[in-house]
Amino acid sequence: MSDTTPTDPPEPGEPGEQGSAPAAPEEGTAPPVRVVVDGLPPKPPLARRALRWALFLVIAAANLAIAGGVGAYLYFSRNLPEIPNVDRYRPPIITEVVSSDGQISGEFFEERRKVVPYDRIPKRVVEAFIASEDKNFFTHGGIDLLGTLRAAVNTYVLRRKVQGGSTLTQQTAKALLISSEGFASGSRRNLARKVRELILAKRLERAFTKEQILWMYLNGVYLGHHSYGIQAAAENYYRKNVEDLTLEEAALIAGLPQAPSRFSPFSRPEAAKERRRYVLRRMSEEGFISADDRTRAADAEVKVFGVDDVFRETAPFYVEHVRRYVVDRYGNDRLLHDGLRVETAMDLEKQRNAQAAMLRGLMEVDHRQGFNGPVAHVEGDERKALLARLAKVWPPGAIAPGAYVVGVVARVDDKKGVAEVEVGESRGLLPISGMRWARKPNPEAYYPDALISRVSTAVKAGDVVLLRRVTRAELVKREGEAQAGKPKDVPEHDLLFSLEQDPTLQGALVSVDPWSGYVLAMVGGYDFEASEFNRAFQACRQPGSAFKPIVYSAAVEKLDYTPATILTDAPLVFRDEENSWKPQNYGETFKGDVTLRTALVNSMNIPAVKTAEAIASKFGMQALADWAKGVGLSTPIKLELGTALGSSCVNLWELTNVYALFARYGEKRPSTFVKRVVDRDGEVLEDHSDWRDPWVPLEARLAAGWAEVSRPRERAMDEKTAYILVRLMREVATVGTGARAAALGKPAAGKTGTTNDSFDTWFMGFTHDLATGVWLGYDINVTPLGRYETGGHAALPIWLDFTKAALDGREQPEFLPPEGIVEVKIDPETGKAVPEEARGVKEPFKLGTEPKLPAEGEQSVEVKDLFMQ
């Protein structure tokens, strides 16, 4: 056994076991007795030891938890988006493209959102969201721990369906994550994303008031069908502003955040109605609405209105061109996120007139090309199935006058001159008067002589055809025109149709205000949905005779040609080592010596080639190409005499601007699609507005007026040269190849253009305030329009239709001569001056170049003969 005798305590002043002197015992107390076993103190009781270990483990666990929590916080809070100041809360919003008078013509966005201030959001909207989404919003600290725990257990432990539990603050945090990291990352369903959301939610609660958080939430929450925020949803579903929402409308929208697709009022109206009942019940339980209000709103019909696709329905070619401009200048990211306001020069009324005129003109010319055949042919069960589908699209009574529909030919009766057609369950008549144009295509045929007289020539039973509902009066008028005023009987029926077809023909139109440079209207093709190819810009086509004014203006400027200059119209052959070229006039006739005035007004080819040859002989062919470039053409000009007849391709946009330059008497001025671009803060990024524009702010008009006064004037040609060409084109539009333009009833000038085989037809025309170009043709030159289709016959009617509507009620002044111009009456055949009382035409001349009357006693026999005619 070991010695159990206690050791003697150290002497006072000597070091103890721990190197320090023990304290002296107090007087009257016995010193503690320490029992040593094998040299060790006895163990404390087991309970005490367990308690100590438990305390140690708790402290260690707490430290580890704190360290782990800090580590987790640092880990999960990495790269969290910064909490913005309220003034700097800038979520992605819509970029709007608007017409000159402020009407929306296009929207571009990734998130269709419009931020509205909190005071614009009605109390009923706030209450609907609070009741249905987060009843304790105004009392909790941003996190509903019980709800979050329950959702986490159900989702991640029990693997039940994904369950919510997020407060409005957490949902706002989630929206910030999505904006910062993208939808896929910001909405990922995992624990890490949820922890980041919780951290961000607490930060939001510390940084903002409850009202500010609610404002961010209501402007950021996704509410289905591209709607982000309450204002976008109000527009998307009800076509109204948020402050105008009724109780039932607010309740329906407030029910969408949990599952916008499942509760969509468009695709699932009954589910939306049931969800609305839940929101209304919660509002009633929270004391926000009365029982009567709840009942009335719950019983209301779910009636929503989809947002119009303004881009495609308003002016798709115009707006798409503007979109490309904005992307090139500011980048696609700013277009989709920064909420720019792009104010265009488009006059919406004129744009609609342009689109309507193009459609009518294309259809008319397309009819003259002939019928391409039915869309399809159906029999038996296939026919029954098609009619069933058509009945859903056009139920009985749904076909309005003028509407285009698809129908099936049920029966053809040549004796009565009708075909019976079915559109779903509706049955109507297609008379011969509504389809006389439907001959087989033949570009050599003369349209009036090729009209059909039998219905069976075009259609038979089972044919699927495109139809348009018409009135009997329209058919009577059409038949009268086709039958030289002697129409056959047109049947009477409740449902009458004409035969139609989707034209393969294409067209383009550009209209510019010559003085402001505003592009008032632009059409790039028949159907943007079918082809986004913009023929006003992207198509390079031969202009034919529409190029001739450029040639003659060069001759007037460089060679001092005048309207009385004599040119030779006679057969001409050009040869080189490999080829020979023999230009022809339309009609293949020649008139000998003619005046420049006669040559241009009647669009004669040989005089134009001779004029180009004269320019090339003195200055070189490059001089004509440089002249064309100087007036505004950037497409390559061929260094050949055929250029005088439009052999070099141009685009409609640039050629229209050349004619606008003529209208300005040669002054250069840029044309613009975009007036102003304003950012979301109201800062003007660019401004091209005109001082006469009533739709721009006064400050901008004053600045534009000063810029107009102070800008340097640049000219492409002398104003007298331009005026002479304008006057000659004025006659083109009254007595020449464009004489149909006289029906406008206002002073107008212009030029027709037709290429070989009528692959391209043009009319370029202008008044004092409007310059418009029209092109018509096929995208691919396989089949010509026909030997009888010319610029004056095909393109000019579209120009006239549009210009009449665009200038309705607006007087146009006559083109006035500038200083240095004198007018002399000449014989239009010889170009010689004649007395005022003689027959002739007055033409403008630059002072000093005008023809003179013979001196007294020197009157020629030619003039005497003129008096005798």
Side-chain angles (χ1 to χ4, degrees), residues 30 55 103 116 141 186 192 195 217 285 289 316 328 378 419 527 548 558 586 593 643 785 799 848 854:
L55 182 61
Q103 297 187 60
V116 293
V195 172
Y217 170 79
E285 290 171 351
I289 59 174
D328 287 344
V378 292
D527 184 1
K548 288 175 182 175
K558 293 177 175 294
Y586 183 80
D593 287 347
T643 291
L785 292 180
W799 178 92

Coordinates of all heavy atoms in Angstrom, one line a residue, residues 30 55 103 116 141 186 192 195 217 285 289 316 328 378 419 527 548 558 586 593 643 785 799 848 854:
A30 N -10.4 25.9 10.9 CA -9.4 24.8 10.8 C -8.9 24.7 9.3 O -9.7 25.0 8.4 CB -10.0 23.4 11.2
L55 N -21.5 21.1 -19.7 CA -21.3 22.6 -19.9 C -20.2 22.8 -20.9 O -20.4 23.7 -21.8 CB -20.9 23.2 -18.5 CG -20.7 24.7 -18.5 CD1 -22.0 25.4 -18.9 CD2 -20.3 25.2 -17.1
Q103 N -48.6 58.1 -79.4 CA -49.3 56.9 -79.3 C -48.3 55.7 -79.3 O -47.4 55.7 -80.2 CB -50.3 56.7 -80.4 CG -51.4 57.8 -80.3 CD -52.5 57.5 -81.3 OE1 -53.2 56.4 -81.3 NE2 -52.8 58.4 -82.2
V116 N -44.7 52.3 -60.9 CA -45.6 53.4 -60.5 C -45.3 53.8 -59.1 O -44.9 52.9 -58.2 CB -47.1 53.0 -60.7 CG1 -47.4 52.8 -62.1 CG2 -47.4 51.7 -59.9
G141 N -40.5 40.7 -38.8 CA -39.2 41.3 -39.1 C -38.7 40.9 -40.5 O -37.4 41.0 -40.7
G186 N -31.7 32.9 -59.8 CA -32.4 33.6 -58.7 C -33.6 32.9 -58.2 O -34.1 33.2 -57.2
A192 N -29.5 26.6 -50.6 CA -28.6 27.7 -50.6 C -29.3 29.0 -51.1 O -29.1 30.0 -50.5 CB -27.4 27.3 -51.6
V195 N -31.4 30.4 -48.3 CA -30.6 31.1 -47.2 C -30.2 32.5 -47.7 O -30.3 33.4 -47.0 CB -29.4 30.2 -46.9 CG1 -28.5 31.0 -45.9 CG2 -29.8 28.9 -46.2
Y217 N -42.1 45.5 -53.9 CA -42.7 44.2 -54.2 C -43.8 44.4 -55.3 O -43.8 43.6 -56.3 CB -43.3 43.6 -53.0 CG -44.2 42.4 -53.2 CD1 -43.6 41.2 -53.5 CD2 -45.6 42.6 -53.3 CE1 -44.4 40.1 -53.8 CE2 -46.4 41.5 -53.5 CZ -45.8 40.2 -53.8 OH -46.6 39.1 -54.0
E285 N -61.9 38.0 -44.0 CA -61.5 37.6 -42.7 C -60.6 38.6 -42.0 O -60.6 38.7 -40.7 CB -60.7 36.2 -42.8 CG -61.6 35.1 -43.2 CD -60.9 33.8 -43.6 OE1 -59.6 33.9 -43.7 OE2 -61.5 32.8 -43.7
I289 N -62.9 44.0 -46.3 CA -64.1 44.2 -47.1 C -65.3 43.7 -46.3 O -65.1 42.8 -45.5 CB -64.0 43.6 -48.5 CG1 -63.7 42.1 -48.3 CG2 -62.9 44.2 -49.3 CD1 -63.7 41.3 -49.7
P316 N -45.2 47.4 -88.1 CA -44.1 46.6 -87.8 C -42.8 46.9 -88.5 O -41.7 46.9 -87.9 CB -44.6 45.2 -88.1 CG -45.7 45.4 -89.0 CD -46.3 46.7 -88.6
D328 N -28.2 49.7 -82.5 CA -26.9 50.1 -83.1 C -26.3 51.2 -82.3 O -25.1 51.3 -82.1 CB -27.1 50.5 -84.5 CG -27.3 49.3 -85.5 OD1 -27.1 48.2 -85.0 OD2 -27.7 49.5 -86.6
V378 N -60.2 19.3 -100.4 CA -60.6 18.3 -99.3 C -61.8 17.5 -99.7 O -62.7 18.0 -100.4 CB -60.8 19.0 -98.0 CG1 -59.5 19.6 -97.4 CG2 -61.9 20.1 -98.1
A419 N -71.0 29.9 -107.0 CA -70.5 28.7 -106.3 C -71.0 28.8 -104.9 O -71.0 29.9 -104.3 CB -69.0 28.6 -106.3
D527 N -46.6 41.7 -95.9 CA -46.9 41.0 -94.6 C -45.7 40.8 -93.8 O -44.8 40.0 -94.1 CB -47.6 39.7 -94.9 CG -48.1 39.0 -93.6 OD1 -47.9 39.6 -92.5 OD2 -48.7 37.9 -93.7
K548 N -34.2 58.9 -114.5 CA -33.9 59.9 -115.5 C -33.8 61.3 -115.0 O -32.9 62.1 -115.5 CB -35.0 59.8 -116.6 CG -34.8 58.5 -117.5 CD -36.0 58.4 -118.5 CE -35.8 57.1 -119.3 NZ -37.0 56.9 -120.2
K558 N -24.6 70.9 -115.6 CA -23.2 70.8 -116.1 C -23.1 71.2 -117.6 O -22.1 71.7 -118.0 CB -22.7 69.4 -115.9 CG -22.5 68.9 -114.5 CD -22.0 67.5 -114.4 CE -21.6 67.1 -113.0 NZ -20.5 67.8 -112.4
Y586 N -40.4 52.6 -124.9 CA -41.6 51.8 -124.6 C -42.5 52.0 -125.8 O -42.9 53.1 -126.2 CB -42.3 52.3 -123.3 CG -43.5 51.5 -122.9 CD1 -43.3 50.3 -122.2 CD2 -44.8 51.9 -123.2 CE1 -44.4 49.5 -121.8 CE2 -45.9 51.2 -122.8 CZ -45.7 50.0 -122.1 OH -46.8 49.3 -121.7
D593 N -36.2 64.3 -133.7 CA -35.8 65.3 -132.8 C -36.9 65.7 -131.8 O -38.0 66.0 -132.3 CB -35.3 66.5 -133.6 CG -34.0 66.3 -134.3 OD1 -33.3 65.3 -133.9 OD2 -33.6 67.1 -135.1
T643 N -27.0 53.2 -117.4 CA -27.3 53.8 -116.1 C -28.4 54.8 -116.3 O -29.3 55.1 -115.4 CB -26.1 54.4 -115.5 OG1 -25.2 53.4 -115.0 CG2 -26.4 55.3 -114.3
L785 N -44.4 41.1 -114.1 CA -45.8 41.6 -113.8 C -46.7 41.5 -115.0 O -47.9 41.3 -114.9 CB -45.8 43.0 -113.3 CG -45.1 43.3 -111.9 CD1 -45.2 44.8 -111.6 CD2 -45.8 42.5 -110.8
W799 N -49.6 55.3 -104.8 CA -49.2 56.6 -104.4 C -50.4 57.5 -104.3 O -50.5 58.3 -103.3 CB -48.2 57.1 -105.4 CG -47.6 58.5 -105.2 CD1 -46.5 58.8 -104.5 CD2 -48.2 59.7 -105.6 NE1 -46.4 60.2 -104.4 CE2 -47.4 60.8 -105.1 CE3 -49.4 60.1 -106.3 CZ2 -47.7 62.1 -105.3 CZ3 -49.7 61.4 -106.5 CH2 -48.8 62.4 -106.0
G848 N -30.8 84.0 -119.2 CA -29.7 84.0 -120.2 C -29.7 82.8 -121.0 O -29.0 82.8 -122.0
P854 N -38.1 85.6 -132.6 CA -37.4 86.3 -133.7 C -37.6 87.8 -133.7 O -38.7 88.3 -133.3 CB -38.0 85.6 -134.9 CG -38.6 84.4 -134.4 CD -39.0 84.7 -133.0

